[in-house]
Amino acid sequence: MNQNIRVAASGAPLVNEIDRWIQTRLQQAIDTNGTATIALAGGSTPKVIYQALSKAEFTWDKLHVFWGDERFVPPNHPDSNEKMARENWLDLVSIPASNIHPWPTTAGTPEQCAELYGAELTKYFAAPQPSFDLVLLGMGEDGHTASLFPHTAALGVMDRSTTVGQKDGQPRLTLTVPAINHAACVAFIITGASKRPALKQVMATTADAQEYPSRLIQPTGELIWWFDEAAAAELDNLG
Ligand code: 6PG
């Protein structure tokens, strides 16, 4: 088995493995640095992971939470990634409010919001690019990740940590490719048969990264792929 690819049965087996793995990775960072930083994925897949984390006994006061991307909506909007993570995890554990760093989606134009979050990241990490201990990512059926959508300008932004993505003409706020790739560890969590076609292209030896932006995620640190059996069914490099 490729060490970086982990497959488990859909549902509780996968959720339990990822839940334990995330806690272990964050605890390692805390043991080393005194704190841990995580950038969360949005969408629907991670919801059950966040629900599992909400039940964990953990030193939440040592964890700082960011988001890899966000919709350009207020935090109380049903599409908000912040709302989903708070309702399923962060509001249910004793994490200090100051440890939670959401995108400022109501602070101005999408460009202004992205710039403000970039400034917050620069201040927190005291460097031009953030060094997240762990970045969680999902992948869309089109091979996008975060809000880095196929054939959009966001894919080419290399000189900053945040930018404005575009989904069907709608603005999204996202970490850039270099910001994600600067992480110590990036973990994709991909489930369901609907992701198979894109996943085959993302995992292929060669394919167009502009067409399948998840291929652009090549961190200097670790890259871990978490799949359920449905998503991994047609992959042939699991041996
Ligand atoms: C978002 C996510 C996005 C998501 C993929 C997969 O804001 O929606 O960051 O990149 O991870 O679209 O979404 P699902 O998990 O809902 O399939």
Side-chain angles (χ1 to χ4, degrees):
M1 167 73 80
N2 174 323
Q3 287 309 307
N4 291 340
I5 294 176
R6 306 186 183 170
V7 183
S10 302
L14 182 69
V15 171
N16 294 338
E17 279 205 41
I18 296 174
D19 172 31
R20 278 198 302 273
W21 178 80
I22 288 173
Q23 291 185 56
T24 302
R25 292 308 300 252
L26 294 177
Q27 189 57 55
Q28 286 168 350
I30 291 167
D31 293 345
T32 306
N33 308 316
T35 58
T37 55
I38 187 171
L40 301 185
S44 57
T45 302
K47 184 174 176 180
V48 287
I49 307 294
Y50 300 160
Q51 290 169 347
L53 287 167
S54 75
K55 299 179 178 64
E57 286 300 314
F58 195 82
T59 52
W60 299 117
D61 62 314
K62 301 281 194 282
L63 178 66
H64 282 261
V65 177
F66 301 79
W67 277 262
D69 72 319
E70 186 55 277
R71 288 80 183 279
F72 186 57
V73 295
N76 61 356
H77 189 283
D79 290 348
S80 166
N81 289 336
E82 175 188 352
K83 183 177 192 294
M84 188 273 276
R86 284 186 184 275
E87 287 178 348
N88 291 281
W89 173 19
L90 302 176
D91 289 351
L92 309 174
V93 298
S94 54
I95 184 169
S98 56
N99 285 30
I100 300 174
H101 309 265
W103 289 77
T105 58
T106 58
T109 66
E111 290 73 15
Q112 290 167 333
C113 296
E115 202 167 316
L116 282 169
Y117 202 59
E120 180 172 356
L121 293 175
T122 300
K123 183 172 176 217
Y124 183 89
F125 289 98
Q129 290 293 2
S131 301
F132 292 109
D133 294 304
L134 180 57
V135 175
L136 300 181
L137 294 174
M139 186 196 75
E141 294 178 15
D142 59 357
H144 84 264
T145 190
S147 284
L148 300 166
F149 289 90
H151 303 292
T152 56
L155 302 185
V157 177
M158 297 294 160
D159 64 346
R160 69 200 75 160
S161 59
T162 60
T163 192
V164 178
Q166 292 290 332
K167 177 181 183 179
D168 306 331
Q170 292 304 309
R172 291 277 195 94
L173 305 173
T174 187
L175 293 181
T176 57
V177 170
I180 295 170
N181 283 341
H182 203 251
C185 181
V186 178
F188 278 92
I189 302 172
I190 302 171
T191 62
S194 70
K195 304 293 175 76
R196 282 182 201 163
L199 196 52
K200 285 185 78 171
Q201 296 299 320
V202 169
M203 304 300 279
T205 308
T206 57
D208 179 3
Q210 292 296 307
E211 184 71 22
Y212 298 99
S214 294
R215 293 180 65 87
L216 296 170
I217 305 307
Q218 299 167 17
T220 45
E222 273 187 281
L223 177 58
I224 308 288
W225 300 88
W226 287 99
F227 302 140
D228 71 353
E229 290 165 343
E234 294 172 2
L235 291 181
D236 52 16
N237 57 351
L238 298 179

